Amino acid sequence: MTIARIVADKSLTDLMLAEKAAARYDLPIERLTKDELVAEITALPLEERYQLAKRTLFFTTRKGAFLSTCRCPSGADYRCCGYHTIQSVSGCPFDCSYCILQHYIGNNPFISVFTDRDAVEAELRAHLAKHHHIRVGTGELADSLALDDLLDESGFFLSMIARNGWEKQVTFEFKTKSDRVDTLIAAHQRHPAVDCVAGFTLTLDRFHATDEIDTAPVAARLHAAARCAAAGVRVAFHFDPLVMQEQFLDDYRLLATQALDAVPHEKIAWISLGGLRHTVSMTELIRRRWPASALTLGEMFPSADDHKLRPFAPLRRRFYRALRDEITDRFPAAPLYLCMEKEFMWEQVGITPPRFF
Amino acid sequence: MTAFLELLDKFNPKKNARAHAVELVTDISRRDGLSPDAVLEKVGASELLDRPGHPLENFDELVKRLEALRHPLWTAKKERLNALCARLAAKSGVTATYPSFAEGDTVTLTLKVKSAADLTERLAALDREKDIVEKILKELNE
């Protein structure tokens, strides 16, 4: 993955990060408005759009709040883990078949870096005035560490937490499909009291090759997790999205054992399990952009509340139970949780929410 | 045009129904490593084409068979649940409705009454047949 364009919003005055990027990639800084950049990119044929957009960094300021809650459908019977997200970057250099960011191709296709991230400090302060603790991360609309060597988000947020004395109030997760942990480890060494977690999304090797372009191979992610743990950084594993087709179950079991063998268990902050889920329109997009992907071939049905397709409930139960057994056989106190699942599924699978719920 | 599309078109399906059938055939073909023609052969498409009756009715049957092949786990569970619900209705007059795609762990029981005596009778019948309700719930949990 190489960055091919550096664009700064015409109205942007703080060019520090854009200049750093320009120097790193030896590229000029172009000055365009978001609308002008969108018009340029959307004029391209669809697949070229994706390719260029994922290599374009757009430095701008954020129009709305940075801090938000995660995406469990409100009003439905989902057991939410209370996770919060900070959207300091929107867009990702990685290209995953199931990624919702593909839908943003029409109006926000590139990697937007919001340079006014200082505003997060006030938002976190306001949140902590009402709540004693927050579990938060940057990995919802971007990979937290894919560009960390350039943007130093880990250094920025860990230093913010330390400066404000929020070490006991904030648990900050950097969620990634990369193995780029050097900047995070260095930030942790500068601020060892800050509770930070390196979260690794784990997938089967077969999907890394076909459905997660430019991400790190699974073995490299596990090696990075081991490096984090050795450096004192707590680690999380996200088996999400699980592709729930019978023939993959044994491979997932093996992956779970590999993950648990990679790091000392006391360094594992949490482990999440989540079945592949996506909107109906994503199915069309996956079929069109990823014709070789096996992801749409399982038995998936729409849920009544959020209309997302999910694997057939008995199949989810089978996968979750099998992985729960595999994990708890080796690590009985594993802090396991299910992502975006309803109460009935938690009960049927027999997972008790970890303390942070 | 490939042979399997020609065969589908002989049923004269509506545009959306045709697209759905093509999607089912393509998915099954990719999943099972079969040619689209072999998929259609597996569900007896030629036999359905020659079957008496309206071609669209035969096409509906074809789609039903393709859906069963595409979603075997749900099709099997639905059949078991429907059989249990039908048994409960026959024995107690109570209608059991299970969640769509077995996405849940509860069943809704509906009973119609026109008098208090009716209610007593229905509840007594339901009590006698509660093992069927238990089987429906068990099916939802498996």
Side-chain angles (χ1 to χ4, degrees):
Chain A
M1 178 270 303
T2 315
I3 296 301
R5 274 184 96 174
I6 311 279
V7 184
D9 198 325
K10 268 183 182 166
S11 62
L12 190 69
T13 50
D14 175 8
L15 292 177
M16 197 182 74
L17 275 175
E19 282 165 357
K20 189 176 167 193
R24 166 75 55 89
Y25 297 107
D26 194 20
L27 290 166
I29 300 176
E30 300 173 57
R31 300 302 298 257
L32 296 169
T33 65
K34 181 184 170 186
D35 289 346
E36 287 167 345
L37 184 57
V38 168
E40 266 190 31
I41 290 182
T42 51
L44 296 169
L46 191 61
E47 195 50 37
E48 279 180 46
R49 248 186 260 177
Y50 284 108
Q51 298 313 321
L52 181 62
K54 289 195 163 289
R55 297 168 66 205
T56 299
L57 290 177
F58 179 58
F59 292 87
T60 186
T61 51
R62 188 163 174 81
K63 304 293 179 278
F66 281 86
L67 185 65
S68 63
T69 53
C70 85
R71 305 281 166 176
C72 270
S74 58
D77 194 19
Y78 290 86
R79 190 176 279 183
C80 180
C81 69
Y83 196 70
H84 283 69
T85 58
I86 289 172
Q87 290 165 11
S88 47
V89 177
S90 167
C92 179
F94 301 151
D95 199 4
C96 298
S97 65
Y98 49 84
C99 180
I100 189 69
L101 290 171
Q102 293 171 102
H103 271 322
Y104 296 7
I105 197 72
N107 56 12
N108 196 12
F110 28 75
I111 304 170
S112 297
V113 179
F114 302 112
T115 58
D116 54 340
R117 59 190 182 184
D118 284 324
V120 171
E121 193 162 342
E123 291 181 31
L124 272 178
R125 185 173 296 115
H127 182 91
L128 292 172
K130 294 179 195 158
H131 305 86
H132 71 281
H133 187 265
I134 187 170
R135 204 169 128 256
V136 67
T138 49
E140 188 194 16
L141 295 181
D143 185 286
S144 297
L145 300 181
L147 296 167
D148 203 35
D149 57 344
L150 173 70
L151 304 176
D152 190 23
E153 292 223 289
S154 53
F156 178 83
F157 288 115
L158 265 54
S159 138
M160 175 187 292
I161 293 164
R163 190 169 62 243
N164 285 281
W166 290 335
E167 289 89 343
K168 292 196 184 317
Q169 291 173 278
V170 179
T171 299
F172 205 112
E173 182 181 23
F174 297 91
K175 204 182 276 189
T176 192
K177 289 176 195 158
S178 81
D179 58 353
R180 297 169 201 167
V181 293
D182 291 338
T183 310
L184 173 63
I185 289 173
H188 171 73
Q189 283 164 351
R190 289 196 302 278
H191 307 290
V194 175
D195 187 15
C196 75
V197 175
F200 294 89
T201 300
L202 297 180
T203 191
L204 299 183
D205 273 323
R206 66 167 66 230
F207 299 126
H208 164 254
T210 57
D211 293 83
E212 295 189 355
I213 307 305
D214 286 332
T215 61
V218 181
R221 292 182 217 179
L222 291 178
H223 180 65
R227 285 187 56 215
C228 285
V233 178
R234 291 202 298 156
V235 164
F237 291 124
H238 300 285
F239 295 91
D240 189 354
L242 291 163
V243 181
M244 293 173 170
Q245 297 172 37
E246 194 62 37
Q247 69 271 28
F248 302 137
L249 182 54
D250 285 343
D251 293 340
Y252 277 118
R253 282 196 179 109
L254 180 64
L255 180 63
T257 64
Q258 288 168 339
L260 291 174
D261 288 347
V263 296
H265 297 170
E266 67 274 14
K267 283 287 172 201
I268 298 178
W270 51 77
I271 301 171
S272 77
L273 307 176
L276 173 69
R277 55 212 175 268
H278 56 73
T279 57
V280 176
S281 58
M282 270 302 289
T283 311
E284 292 314 308
L285 201 151
I286 295 171
R287 284 182 210 279
R288 192 177 68 239
R289 274 203 79 212
W290 306 83
S293 173
L295 265 59
T296 57
L297 299 180
E299 282 197 53
M300 295 179 74
F301 300 101
S303 300
D305 321 292
D306 60 3
H307 310 294
K308 279 186 180 167
L309 297 175
R310 285 181 167 76
F312 186 41
L315 204 53
R316 299 213 301 285
R317 206 156 46 226
R318 178 163 156 66
F319 268 70
Y320 290 146
R321 281 177 182 163
L323 285 171
R324 176 208 61 192
D325 290 349
E326 201 68 49
I327 291 166
T328 55
D329 277 357
R330 287 164 177 263
F331 181 16
L336 268 172
Y337 69 92
L338 302 178
C339 193
M340 290 184 92
E341 283 290 0
K342 289 186 173 183
E343 290 283 341
F344 87 89
M345 187 58 72
W346 281 78
E347 282 170 20
Q348 290 179 338
V349 175
I351 290 181
T352 312
R355 272 185 302 125
F356 55 74
F357 264 64
Chain B
M1 193 188 287
T2 56
F4 94 95
L5 291 174
E6 276 173 21
L7 180 59
L8 283 181
D9 286 343
K10 286 182 184 162
F11 288 91
N12 274 327
K14 297 235 163 46
K15 196 178 160 189
N16 286 348
R18 179 189 187 274
H20 181 50
V22 170
E23 195 178 286
L24 289 167
V25 172
T26 312
D27 282 353
I28 297 163
S29 157
R30 287 189 55 221
R31 183 193 66 191
D32 298 349
L34 295 171
S35 71
D37 300 310
V39 173
L40 285 180
E41 195 183 322
K42 203 169 171 179
V43 295
S46 304
E47 164 230 320
L48 280 172
L49 190 63
D50 297 335
R51 200 169 76 165
H54 197 285
L56 284 183
E57 275 174 21
N58 292 339
F59 188 74
D60 286 346
E61 175 59 25
L62 176 72
V63 170
K64 202 172 141 193
R65 290 181 190 182
L66 285 170
E67 278 172 345
L69 192 57
R70 174 70 181 85
H71 301 122
L73 295 174
W74 166 231
T75 303
K77 186 163 285 285
K78 190 166 58 176
E79 276 172 15
R80 291 193 296 272
L81 283 165
N82 285 346
L84 287 166
C85 292
R87 229 173 91 198
L88 183 68
K91 292 196 165 188
S92 69
V94 173
T95 308
T97 312
Y98 54 85
S100 304
F101 307 115
E103 185 73 35
D105 60 352
T106 57
V107 63
T108 305
L109 301 177
T110 313
L111 46 92
K112 279 187 183 172
V113 293
K114 57 180 176 184
S115 66
D118 250 8
L119 177 61
T120 310
E121 196 182 309
R122 286 269 184 273
L123 289 175
L126 185 60
D127 191 53
R128 279 197 304 276
E129 305 302 337
K130 64 185 172 202
D131 66 309
I132 305 178
V133 178
E134 212 167 298
K135 281 179 185 161
I136 296 172
L137 291 170
K138 194 172 167 224
E139 188 63 46
L140 285 175
N141 281 283
E142 278 174 352

